[in-house]
Amino acid sequence: EVLLVESGGALVQPGGSLRVSCAAAGFNVSDNYINWVRQAPGKGLEWVSVAYADGNAYYTDSVKGRFTISRDDSKNTVHLEMNSLRSEDTAVYFCVRGSGWGQGTLVTVSS
Amino acid sequence: DTQMTQSPSSLSASLGDRVTITCQASQDISIYLNWYHQKEGKAPKLLIYDASTLEAGVPSRFSGSGSGTDFTFTISSLQPEDLGTYYCQQYDNLPYSFGPGTKLDLK
């Protein structure tokens, strides 16, 4: 069974940094592509980033240069490092692999 | 970037009704389209991929069709558990954009 569990969400000040993580079970993150999708409060879904098995990564324009997706194969975990956070980054962040979604982790950017 | 639009943005229907939602892509995405259902406070659930293929375990009252730029999602007979918001998503080209959603509630 595929299981994805996000963690690391928190309240952070504008301009700050945060790392959210996605621990996977039932498959190897090294052999798959993992997406991050976010949802601002009361809003729709927004695709954020993808990490492919070959090591390539892509980002939506609004986070390019600020967010970095990475993989820790030894822990079967994918991370999303977020820097220079803005109020508009406030959202629940979901990791997604195929049809499987985690429960999400809330990131709030506010002073 | 591919922009996705959905209509209607909201829809009220009665139990047992046939419900149809449309999704349009700003450029040709072939059949690379997902349909998701999201209930309040929950993660989205994949219902259909490749525009018309039902995900395993999803009831047959759900169906999808289309290719290129125009897609349709149908619920043949609305059930109480179908209420919530529906999203289309293209995965033909990066960024993998979502439609703005269609909120479905009871009339």
Side-chain angles (χ1 to χ4, degrees):
Chain A
E1 180 190 0
V2 170
L3 186 64
L4 297 162
V5 179
E6 300 92 338
S7 62
L11 171 64
V12 61
Q13 291 191 337
S17 298
L18 189 68
R19 187 179 81 168
V20 292
S21 302
C22 172
F27 70 97
N28 294 323
V29 297
S30 58
D31 299 330
N32 288 266
Y33 65 93
I34 304 294
N35 291 273
W36 284 96
V37 173
R38 67 185 179 183
Q39 186 168 37
K43 302 297 183 184
L45 301 169
E46 180 185 22
W47 179 85
V48 175
S49 179
V50 62
Y52 287 111
D54 63 4
N56 285 320
Y58 299 91
Y59 305 88
T60 192
D61 283 350
S62 63
V63 310
K64 278 180 188 173
R66 301 188 298 122
F67 288 15
T68 303
I69 192 171
S70 63
R71 216 171 63 202
D72 183 341
D73 294 344
S74 68
K75 295 184 178 179
N76 212 31
T77 296
V78 175
H79 304 291
L80 186 67
E81 186 78 38
M82 303 182 288
N83 298 313
S84 303
L85 282 162
R86 307 166 181 167
S87 58
E88 54 264 36
D89 296 318
T90 294
V92 174
Y93 285 73
F94 296 98
C95 62
V96 184
R97 177 260 186 179
S99 61
W101 290 59
Q103 84 288 351
T105 189
L106 176 62
V107 173
T108 303
V109 184
S110 175
S111 55
Chain B
D1 294 4
T2 302
Q3 310 303 319
M4 306 299 293
T5 57
Q6 283 181 239
S7 68
S9 58
S10 63
L11 176 59
S12 295
S14 301
L15 297 180
D17 280 355
R18 183 181 184 87
V19 171
T20 298
I21 298 168
T22 62
C23 176
Q24 188 168 56
S26 62
Q27 61 185 318
D28 189 336
I29 59 168
S30 186
I31 61 166
Y32 301 116
L33 186 91
N34 289 328
W35 286 99
Y36 290 98
H37 175 220
Q38 186 179 34
K39 295 182 179 180
E40 192 71 32
K42 301 292 187 182
K45 176 185 176 183
L46 180 66
L47 301 177
I48 289 171
Y49 62 94
D50 289 349
S52 61
T53 303
L54 212 59
E55 174 68 6
V58 172
S60 59
R61 65 179 180 274
F62 297 101
S63 64
S65 64
S67 66
T69 60
D70 295 297
F71 301 87
T72 300
F73 171 82
T74 300
I75 306 172
S76 61
S77 177
L78 185 67
Q79 301 301 304
E81 59 268 30
D82 300 339
L83 303 181
T85 304
Y86 290 83
Y87 296 93
C88 60
Q89 181 203 21
Q90 67 83 18
Y91 52 97
D92 177 64
N93 59 87
L94 291 161
Y96 297 144
S97 41
F98 289 88
T102 295
K103 188 170 184 179
L104 175 60
D105 60 19
L106 278 180
K107 188 182 293 182

